[in-house]
């Protein structure tokens, strides 16, 4: 099918090569940084003398800096466009990766990971904005699913392949390699991607800020923000760190088995993102609203998490995969926002909701570590009872956000909302 009405197939292919691939490469890199500690966690804990809480803090600082920068990121994206903003920020991650590779204390590692998070904080939002600028609305859910799948491929790259690489390379050299890959993607942004922006000519910074204020006053925006934050609190904090620990401590997996387990849940993530994306676009083309697809998918994932919280171990990896697939449905809220607001507000809308998303992930990664530290750690790790209690809390938080979204489902019957500044 044509990318846009009237476009030739060769034009579609060129846009895919010059726009889609470079931006999803940036998100691929950001997800490698995001998920690398799932495999490296035990090594880093030994290297820097970290308990579960401090390991959670080290990993989650990536997400805290991500969250803090989202509001200014939205303004920058809408004003300067996704290419220039993302190309510049990725250079910050290059510096952070080099600093992480040379860190000699936990404090230095935490500061370096914070810098990495800041540098890749524009990767997802710039990709979404680029898709809004280059693709028709009825393709957005599928394209966003492609982007999320590229991220999952990044996570897969730091699962089994990383475990194999660590047998011959020190972890510090791995981070130097990541710095080189990130630099290459930044150069691709500057030298290969064409420029396009939806920013109305002459709009001032104050006008942009008033537009952001209008978003925050929209009750549908607040419902999405809360639901996304609580779902990502559960999903991303689990998949980027704590599922690995559960597989090791509760299921009794060795390091290689943990890496294969992470590979499986990341494949499940790709299935979820692509499947829900295609299903959402199919519904949109037929005039249906995707809010019920979102709620149904997350509810199924939440049910699987509840079973794990009850202490069920049989088929544990399969239950984690179901949890991951179902929870990916919440990613459809980004395309829901893109269809709800005018193009000149999309950068701020997606970045604004990401404040809640990444604050939730930060709280989830660190909070899970703190809760586990309340239980005595044995030679084989934390007890199954510790994980049952912790997963029960995570489940309850996810369900609260989902219920609030369900109660406000009537707010999503309008497709485009003209916001007052």
């Amino acid at each position: 099918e044509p990318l846009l009405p009237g476009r030739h197939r060769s034009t579609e292919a060129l846009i895919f090569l010059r726009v889609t691939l470079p931006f999803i490469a940036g998100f691929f890199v950001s997800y490698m940084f995001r998920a690398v500690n799932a495999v490296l966690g035990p090594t880093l804990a030994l290297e820097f003398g970290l308990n579960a809480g401090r390991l959670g803090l080290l990993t989650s600082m990536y997400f805290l800096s991500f969250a803090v920068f989202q509001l200014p990121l939205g303004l920058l994206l809408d004003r300067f466009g996704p290419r220039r903003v993302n190309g510049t920020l990725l250079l910050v991650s290059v510096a952070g990766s080099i600093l992480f590779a040379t860190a000699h204390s936990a404090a230095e590692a935490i500061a370096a990971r914070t810098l990495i998070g800041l540098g890749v904080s524009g990767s997802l939002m710039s990709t979404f904005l680029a898709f809004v600028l280059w693709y028709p609305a009825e393709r957005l859910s599928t394209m966003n699913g492609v982007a999320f799948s590229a991220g999952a491929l990044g996570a897969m790259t730091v699962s089994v392949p990383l475990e194999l690489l660590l047998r011959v390379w020190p972890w510090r050299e791995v981070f130097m390699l990541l710095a080189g890959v990130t630099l290459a993607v930044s150069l691709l942004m500057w030298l290969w991607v064409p420029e396009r922006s939806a920013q109305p000519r002459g709009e001032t910074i104050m006008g942009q800020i008033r537009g952001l204020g209008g978003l925050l006053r929209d009750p549908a925006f607040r419902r999405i923000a809360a639901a996304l934050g609580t779902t990502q609190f559960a999903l991303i904090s689990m998949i980027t760190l704590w599922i690995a620990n559960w597989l090791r401590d509760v299921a009794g997996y060795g390091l290689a088995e943990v890496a294969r387990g992470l590979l499986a849940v990341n494949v499940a993530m790709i299935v979820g993102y692509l499947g829900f994306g295609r299903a959402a676009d199919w519904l949109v083309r037929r005039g249906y609203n995707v809010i019920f697809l979102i709620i149904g998918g997350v509810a199924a994932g939440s049910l699987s998490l509840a079973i794990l919280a009850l202490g069920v171990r049989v088929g544990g990896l399969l239950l984690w995969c179901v949890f991951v697939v179902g929870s990916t449905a919440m990613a459809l809220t980004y395309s829901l926002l893109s269809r709800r607001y005018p193009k000149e507000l999309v950068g701020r809308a997606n970045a604004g909701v990401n404040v809640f998303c990444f604050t939730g992930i930060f709280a989830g990664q660190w909070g899970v570590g703190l809760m586990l530290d309340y239980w005595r750690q044995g030679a084989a790790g934390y007890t199954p009872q510790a994980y049952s209690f912790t997963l029960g809390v995570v489940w309850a938080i996810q369900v609260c956000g989902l219920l609030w979204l369900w109660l406000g489902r009537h707010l999503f019957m309008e497709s485009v909302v003209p916001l007052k500044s």
Side-chain angles (χ1 to χ4, degrees):
E1 68 189 297
L3 186 64
L4 286 176
R7 279 190 176 160
H8 193 272
R9 289 284 181 181
S10 61
T11 304
E12 295 181 21
L14 186 61
I15 290 174
F16 184 81
L17 289 173
R18 295 197 61 187
V19 177
T20 305
L21 283 182
F23 277 103
I24 66 175
F27 190 50
F28 175 90
V29 166
S30 77
Y31 230 103
M32 285 199 294
F33 282 120
R34 183 183 299 190
V36 68
N37 281 10
V39 170
L40 274 184
T43 302
L44 297 176
L46 184 63
E47 179 92 12
F48 298 117
L50 305 174
N51 58 17
R54 295 199 75 193
L55 178 60
L57 177 62
L58 168 63
T59 305
S60 65
M61 288 306 295
Y62 170 104
F63 299 105
L64 180 61
S65 61
F66 225 107
V68 168
F69 194 64
Q70 288 305 296
L71 291 183
L73 172 65
L75 297 173
L76 291 170
L77 284 172
D78 284 336
R79 188 165 186 85
F80 298 107
R83 180 186 72 92
R84 286 183 284 177
V85 172
N86 199 30
T88 301
L89 285 173
L90 286 173
L91 296 175
V92 178
S93 275
V94 173
S97 186
I98 293 172
L99 289 174
F100 198 90
T102 57
H104 296 291
S105 68
E108 291 177 3
I110 288 172
R113 185 148 174 90
T114 303
L115 202 59
I116 291 171
L118 175 63
V120 296
S121 63
S123 296
L124 181 59
M125 294 301 98
S126 65
T127 302
F128 285 170
L129 181 55
F131 289 165
V132 168
L133 296 175
W134 290 93
Y135 287 86
E138 62 270 20
R139 294 279 295 278
L140 289 179
S141 292
T142 295
M143 295 311 301
N144 288 355
V146 169
F148 278 119
S149 297
L153 285 173
M156 290 167 62
T157 303
V158 291
S159 59
V160 172
L162 176 62
E163 190 272 328
L164 294 173
L165 183 61
L166 288 172
R167 297 180 186 183
V168 294
W169 269 26
W171 69 267
R172 295 180 186 273
E173 291 187 16
V174 169
F175 269 87
M176 294 300 291
L177 176 62
L178 287 175
V181 173
T182 308
L183 178 60
V185 176
S186 176
L187 292 175
L188 198 63
M189 288 286 169
W190 284 110
L191 302 176
W192 180 245
V193 177
E195 185 67 37
R196 177 172 283 194
S197 175
Q199 182 64 28
R201 186 172 296 177
E203 185 175 8
T204 65
I205 290 291
M206 288 308 299
Q208 287 185 290
I209 293 174
R210 284 194 295 270
L212 180 60
L215 290 170
L216 295 175
R217 289 192 294 272
D218 180 9
F221 177 87
R222 296 196 298 269
R223 298 266 179 173
I224 285 178
L228 182 63
T230 54
T231 294
Q232 301 301 79
F233 174 97
L235 174 62
I236 304 301
S237 61
M238 289 291 116
I239 202 169
T240 56
L241 184 62
W242 297 115
I243 287 179
N245 285 43
W246 186 94
L247 292 173
R248 184 193 67 207
D249 295 350
V250 178
Y253 284 22
L255 182 59
E257 292 174 305
V258 168
R260 290 193 291 271
L262 291 175
L263 182 64
V265 295
N266 281 293
V267 169
M269 182 179 285
I270 292 176
V271 170
Y273 284 139
L274 291 179
F276 281 116
R278 295 293 290 177
D281 281 345
W282 186 88
L283 291 173
V284 168
R285 284 194 296 268
R286 286 156 180 78
Y288 296 106
N289 198 294
V290 301
I291 190 66
F292 299 105
L293 179 63
I294 295 171
I295 292 171
V298 177
S302 184
L303 176 61
S304 185
L305 182 61
I307 295 172
L308 286 163
L310 291 173
V312 174
R313 303 185 206 179
V314 177
L317 183 58
L318 177 61
L319 287 170
W320 279 119
C321 288
V322 174
F323 162 69
V324 168
V325 170
S327 297
T328 59
M330 190 57 71
L332 297 176
T333 55
Y334 289 106
S335 58
L336 199 65
L337 288 173
S338 297
R339 285 190 290 268
R340 183 175 178 84
Y341 304 122
K343 284 187 177 182
E344 62 268 19
L345 277 175
V346 168
R348 275 163 283 180
N350 283 334
V353 80
N354 249 16
V355 173
F356 298 86
C357 170
F358 285 95
T359 300
I361 298 170
F362 165 75
Q365 279 200 336
W366 191 16
V368 168
L370 291 175
M371 284 187 281
L372 288 175
D373 276 337
Y374 275 108
W375 299 76
R376 180 174 297 178
Q377 184 177 14
Y382 292 93
T383 64
Q385 292 78 14
Y387 282 99
S388 290
F389 172 81
T390 302
L391 293 181
V393 174
V394 172
W395 170 82
I397 291 171
Q398 184 183 35
V399 167
C400 285
L402 184 63
L403 285 176
W404 202 48
L405 183 64
W406 168 257
L407 294 174
R409 62 194 181 279
H410 62 281
L411 297 170
F412 300 95
M413 297 303 108
E414 297 178 72
S415 58
V416 178
V417 177
L419 297 177
K420 297 180 180 179
S421 59

